[in-house]
Amino acid sequence: MEFSVNFSNLNIKINSKYDYVYNFCRDYLSEETPDFAVETTDEKIDNEIASVDFEPSRGYAESICIYREIAERLPEFNRCVFHGAVIEYNKKGFLFTAPSGTGKTTHIRLWKKFLGDSVEIVNGDKPILQIEEDGVTAWATPYAGKEKYQNHSSVKLSGMCLIKRGKENRIEKVNAGEHITEIISQIYMPYEPLQSIKTLELLDRLLKEVPLYVLHCDISEEAFKTSFGALVNED
């Protein structure tokens, strides 16, 4: 099955084996001329199924492989896939990142709980970041985690927050270089050497353009107040 989608203002032709991928991307379908095309192989699908501790359908596994193929090409267009949750408040974007299971989804739920409809969740898990000299834009995709938090939009990032569990709620603006190992683990790194080099250049620009904070928090209202106070009042 051949169809095109628009992710991060790029039109991408997908050649899929299973209907799952088409249905998964349905809200992002495009009829514009593709910027590039992707497909995967049965071998890669088999490897994806073997790499996880549950039994996904072949269609689901193909959807993961397809996004990986897309991520391999994105650096050519000053873009990358980043593991994090992006919200928009007062026309500003904030990205919360952390290893899986640390609490980034829980934290953005706190923002929704206390701010309601004034907060939009752009993407809950794997947004595409467009990194240019005039700033960084986070784009929604259907790859948004099991909660499917995404709203088909984009937002300029004003801050990035690395979440760590803590008994005391506190936040500090940090030197990105001191946390490069933690941040680089959250960005998709292509296998192709030149694309990897380009991704590192994009990461360097990202950390220069967007202030980085480290948030130690629990799951209380105080945790929300701590991050809100620092991020929103940055200006």
Side-chain angles (χ1 to χ4, degrees), residues 181-231:
T181 301
E182 295 164 287
I183 296 300
I184 203 171
S185 67
Q186 304 303 309
I187 196 170
Y188 179 84
M189 192 60 63
Y191 292 101
E192 203 281 319
L194 291 179
Q195 299 288 57
S196 293
I197 292 172
K198 175 67 174 182
T199 300
L200 290 174
E201 293 172 350
L202 292 173
L203 176 59
D204 182 65
R205 190 183 303 167
L206 166 66
L207 296 178
K208 288 178 179 177
E209 291 289 335
V210 182
L212 176 66
Y213 297 79
V214 172
L215 171 67
H216 298 264
C217 66
D218 54 21
I219 56 174
S220 67
E221 179 179 357
E222 188 61 32
F224 154 71
K225 289 180 177 179
T226 300
S227 64
F228 179 86
L231 296 172

Side-chain angles (χ1 to χ4, degrees), residues 112-210:
K112 285 292 292 182
K113 176 181 178 180
F114 294 110
L115 296 174
D117 291 342
S118 61
V119 170
E120 291 284 343
I121 301 176
V122 177
N123 187 276
D125 191 42
K126 292 183 175 65
I128 292 175
L129 302 186
Q130 180 181 356
I131 304 168
E132 306 286 358
E133 292 184 359
D134 64 343
V136 178
T137 301
W139 294 84
T141 76
Y143 294 86
K146 62 181 181 295
E147 297 85 4
K148 303 185 186 302
Y149 290 147
Q150 53 87 24
N151 68 353
H152 309 93
S153 70
S154 64
V155 66
K156 275 282 186 75
L157 290 184
S158 294
M160 183 163 57
C161 193
L162 177 63
I163 295 178
K164 299 185 178 185
R165 289 176 179 166
K167 296 181 180 179
E168 176 186 359
N169 293 296
R170 57 188 175 86
I171 190 169
E172 59 180 333
K173 191 174 183 179
V174 297
N175 183 322
E178 297 174 359
H179 297 272
I180 189 67
T181 301
E182 295 164 287
I183 296 300
I184 203 171
S185 67
Q186 304 303 309
I187 196 170
Y188 179 84
M189 192 60 63
Y191 292 101
E192 203 281 319
L194 291 179
Q195 299 288 57
S196 293
I197 292 172
K198 175 67 174 182
T199 300
L200 290 174
E201 293 172 350
L202 292 173
L203 176 59
D204 182 65
R205 190 183 303 167
L206 166 66
L207 296 178
K208 288 178 179 177
E209 291 289 335
V210 182

Side-chain angles (χ1 to χ4, degrees), residues 17 20 24 64 71 95 105 131 133 140 145 167 183 189 206 233:
K17 302 173 183 296
Y20 182 100
F24 184 74
I64 302 302
L95 185 154
T105 301
I131 304 168
E133 292 184 359
K167 296 181 180 179
I183 296 300
M189 192 60 63
L206 166 66
N233 294 326

